[in-house]
Amino acid sequence: MNKVVKDPAAALDGIQDGMTLMVGGFGLCGIPENSIAELVKMGTKNLTCISNNAGVDDFGLGLLLQAKQVKKMISSYVGENDEFERQMLSGELEVDLIPQGSLAERCRAGGAGIPAFFTPAGYGTEVAEGKEVRIFNGKPHILESALTADYAIVKAWKGDTEGNLIYKATARNFNPMMAMAGKITIAEVEELVPAGTLDPNQIHTPGIFVQRIFQGEKFEKRIEQRTVRSKQ
Amino acid sequence: MALDKTGIAKRIAQELQDGWYVNLGIGIPTLVANYIPEGIEVEFQSENGILGMGPFPFEGEEDPDLINAGKQTITARAGASFFDSAMSFAMIRGQHVQLTVLGAMEVSQNGDIANWKIPGKMVKGMGGAMDLVASADNIIVAMMHSNKAGESKILKNCTLPLTGVGCVKKVVTELAVLEIKDGKFHLIERAPGVSVEEIISKTEGDLVVPDFVPEMQL
């Protein structure tokens, strides 16, 4: 099954105002930067974005925030973004903060047909407010529900025409679970190859989870915290 | 003399045991990796998806696809592995990681920890901290004994919104090593040259002080 579309515009076709999007990445690592740029061009408004972070002011999801296209963010950590802070404090932007492991598992559950699960994370904190508590093995757990999205937009290193994906290093992060949890999943890849080129043993996301795939024109891959040591 | 941040990291590094997988938080905890005792092998996990985290890369060798949970560029050691965020937190929640070291704004004598939110200030989010503290069997908090206003961070009850309840087992500050058990802090060691009286005066929570309190050996 050929999942290839020619460009980001074709990939994002159908995304409308008010929809819920999952956007892969951790910080600026492994984000679908070509798709985000296209979303800014499209000008789609009132989006709910499920993404671990909210980018920085002038890159990543920060670009959507600047253009005031986001109504609500569902994230685990949203520092490093002044415009985000301004919109949140002024009440323009709704924010739902979720423990990182719960966010990952809620996406995985959404894609795996598991409506909810119990986790110890957040018990006894404000995250637990209004949630069912049950004791397992003597320890309290809270009930967390699955997350799904109208569209999931992920970024992979290599992909083939069938939508099979391979990620690189820590750019994998939330991408595999979000790919599973989108009603329509769009993959942007650095290198798109014919089916049969990738070793089936090495596939991280099987093509069944991907509806549309395209090769990004260029990847800036901005580094958020450049840390190095000297050779001496 | 109270310890500096490096001293706190060195003392925590003495807690490492051969064969452990360890998650280090941002700040002082990150420094612990620099002082692994000789003759033991530990692997560092970073919750964004790497086991076997190595040192920072040499200049010019940074890889934007290879970062730690603090979003810093890192390297991968021989034998490292990469994985997604769900698997990463399966390692953490499933207690496959033997030790978590993290910073805190407050710790209480029943082991509660607050380190993610100050009411009235910008909330950045808890990241992976709630999953880490709710799950790890062995949690060491690395922090200063008092806040910038000089108020004790070692409390009967936390005043800030909690990150987790009843989870901290040990606290290492610039003044002391404290254990938490039976709803009290227990003074285990003091920093070289620091008096027991100073530690008592800077600890708001209930503190059990034995007759002899050894100095840390750094």
Side-chain angles (χ1 to χ4, degrees), chain A residues 78 126 139 221 226-227 229, chain B residues 56 62 65 117 124 134:
Chain A
V78 294
E126 61 188 58
K139 192 172 166 174
K221 292 198 187 182
R226 186 180 301 273
T227 44
R229 67 193 151 124
Chain B
F56 295 144
E62 311 92 288
D65 291 323
K117 183 175 182 180
K124 293 191 169 184

Side-chain angles (χ1 to χ4, degrees), chain A residues 26-27 29-30 53 75-81 84-85 88-89 97-102 104-105 108 119-127 139 155 168-174 176-177 190 221-231, chain B residues 47-50 55-75 82-87 89 93 95 116-117 121-136 161-165:
Chain A
F26 180 94
C29 181
N53 310 92
S75 304
S76 88
Y77 188 84
V78 294
E80 353 296 353
N81 193 322
F84 184 99
E85 184 170 348
M88 183 170 153
L89 294 174
L97 293 169
I98 298 177
Q100 197 180 327
S102 297
E105 193 65 15
R108 201 198 74 80
T119 176
Y123 171 75
T125 75
E126 61 188 58
V127 165
K139 192 172 166 174
K155 189 263 167 180
K168 189 179 152 216
T170 56
R172 193 181 318 184
N173 54 63
F174 282 82
M177 288 80 65
E190 291 178 50
K221 292 198 187 182
R222 194 182 296 185
I223 291 174
E224 214 165 327
Q225 306 280 345
R226 186 180 301 273
T227 44
V228 294
R229 67 193 151 124
S230 68
K231 280 195 168 150
Chain B
E47 64 269 24
N48 59 315
I50 176 172
F56 295 144
F58 290 121
E59 201 166 350
E61 294 175 10
E62 311 92 288
D63 179 352
D65 291 323
L66 183 47
I67 62 170
N68 63 17
K71 290 148 194 155
Q72 298 170 310
T73 45
I74 53 162
T75 55
F82 302 121
F83 35 84
D84 65 54
S85 304
M87 185 172 285
F89 283 92
R93 247 187 267 103
Q95 301 193 330
W116 77 284
K117 183 175 182 180
K121 287 206 178 162
M122 170 64 187
V123 181
K124 293 191 169 184
M126 66 293 281
M130 284 192 183
D131 309 272
L132 280 158
V133 301
S135 312
L162 295 178
T163 308
V165 294

Side-chain angles (χ1 to χ4, degrees), chain A residues 69-148:
Chain A
Q69 293 175 263
V70 183
K71 178 185 67 176
K72 182 176 181 182
M73 281 296 312
I74 300 177
S75 304
S76 88
Y77 188 84
V78 294
E80 353 296 353
N81 193 322
D82 292 338
E83 176 61 15
F84 184 99
E85 184 170 348
R86 193 197 64 71
Q87 290 185 20
M88 183 170 153
L89 294 174
S90 71
E92 290 165 58
L93 180 69
E94 247 182 283
V95 180
D96 194 359
L97 293 169
I98 298 177
Q100 197 180 327
S102 297
L103 179 61
E105 193 65 15
R106 288 176 70 179
C107 295
R108 201 198 74 80
I114 295 178
F117 58 91
F118 282 96
T119 176
Y123 171 75
T125 75
E126 61 188 58
V127 165
E129 283 168 17
K131 289 175 184 161
E132 184 183 339
V133 175
R134 271 176 72 176
I135 312 281
F136 296 95
N137 303 319
K139 192 172 166 174
H141 293 71
I142 62 174
L143 186 66
E144 291 281 11
S145 57
L147 288 169
T148 55

Side-chain angles (χ1 to χ4, degrees), chain A residues 45-61:
Chain A
K45 296 260 189 291
N46 290 320
L47 296 170
T48 293
C49 289
I50 303 171
S51 189
N52 188 57
N53 310 92
V56 294
D57 276 301
D58 61 345
F59 200 59
L61 285 181

Side-chain angles (χ1 to χ4, degrees), chain B residues 187-207:
Chain B
L187 181 54
I188 303 300
E189 291 175 19
R190 58 198 169 88
V194 169
S195 71
V196 169
E197 289 69 29
E198 181 179 357
I199 296 165
I200 292 172
S201 75
K202 289 183 173 167
T203 303
E204 192 259 0
D206 294 336
L207 181 65

Side-chain angles (χ1 to χ4, degrees), chain B residues 1 19 33 58 86 139 204 217:
Chain B
M1 260 283 284
F58 290 121
I139 297 174
E204 192 259 0
Q217 303 295 313

